[in-house]
Structures are given as C-alpha cells and as structure tokens.
Amino acid sequence: MSTETTIDINVMGQKFRIHCAEDEREGLLLAVDFLNKKMQEIKSGGKIVGTERITIAAALNITHELLNMHAGKGFDIKEFRRRIGLIESKLDDALLESDHQL
C-alpha cells in the first residue's frame, strides 16, 4: 500500500493543497500541467471568459479527447467513473480548504 503525501498545486493562478498516494504524485503533477495548458489555450482563444467557464470548457475538452481515444478499445467505464470520483473528491477537498483560508 502506498503512503499518502500532500502537494501544493497551482491551477490558473489558484493554489490548492491536494492529498494523494505517493505513487500517484507524479501523475497528478502531469495532470495539473496538462490542465493548465488546456485552460491557457482556451483563455488565449478569447471566446470564453471567466475561470469557472474556462475550467468547464477544459474539462469537457479533456473528457471528449479521452472518450475518443478509448472508443472501441474496451473502455472500462467503471474504472473511468471511479477515477473521476477520486479526482472530484480531491478537488472538493482542495476547494473547501481554499475557502477556509480566505
């Protein structure tokens, strides 16, 4: 079993503290970098304004790409939902912690 660790991340200028398994740290940091790049692309396009709208657009784009990539390759929707649930839980925790710091 992997040990837990805490990392500080920055998404579009907002700081979050995320708890994750030590063996998932590198993957999470890669995901943060990927998300920031997607969000910056959307922001630079100038058609969508506001961090919340940019975040939703990035999430939709990434999800669409993922589903297209796995189409026809035995995509495991249960595993996908489980992982999305874990990510949502970590983000909810980070948002709550961020709100309490304000």
Side-chain angles (χ1 to χ4, degrees), residues 24-99:
E24 293 180 357
R25 183 181 189 277
E26 186 177 336
L28 183 58
L29 291 173
L30 288 171
V32 169
D33 185 51
F34 186 80
L35 177 60
N36 274 317
K37 287 177 182 173
K38 282 287 184 188
M39 292 176 73
Q40 190 57 48
E41 286 174 17
I42 293 166
K43 183 179 179 181
S44 296
K47 293 181 180 179
I48 300 176
V49 179
T51 303
E52 191 172 299
R53 290 178 183 265
I54 291 170
T55 302
I56 291 169
L60 287 171
N61 287 342
I62 292 167
T63 302
H64 183 258
E65 289 173 12
L66 178 66
L67 291 174
N68 282 337
M69 190 169 62
H70 290 306
K73 297 182 183 176
F75 182 70
D76 185 350
I77 193 70
K78 288 181 183 178
E79 175 63 12
F80 177 74
R81 286 183 177 146
R82 184 190 72 77
R83 294 191 76 155
I84 291 296
L86 286 171
I87 292 168
E88 286 176 340
S89 176
K90 289 176 183 181
L91 288 174
D92 286 344
D93 291 345
L95 288 171
L96 280 173
E97 187 174 318
S98 177
D99 287 346

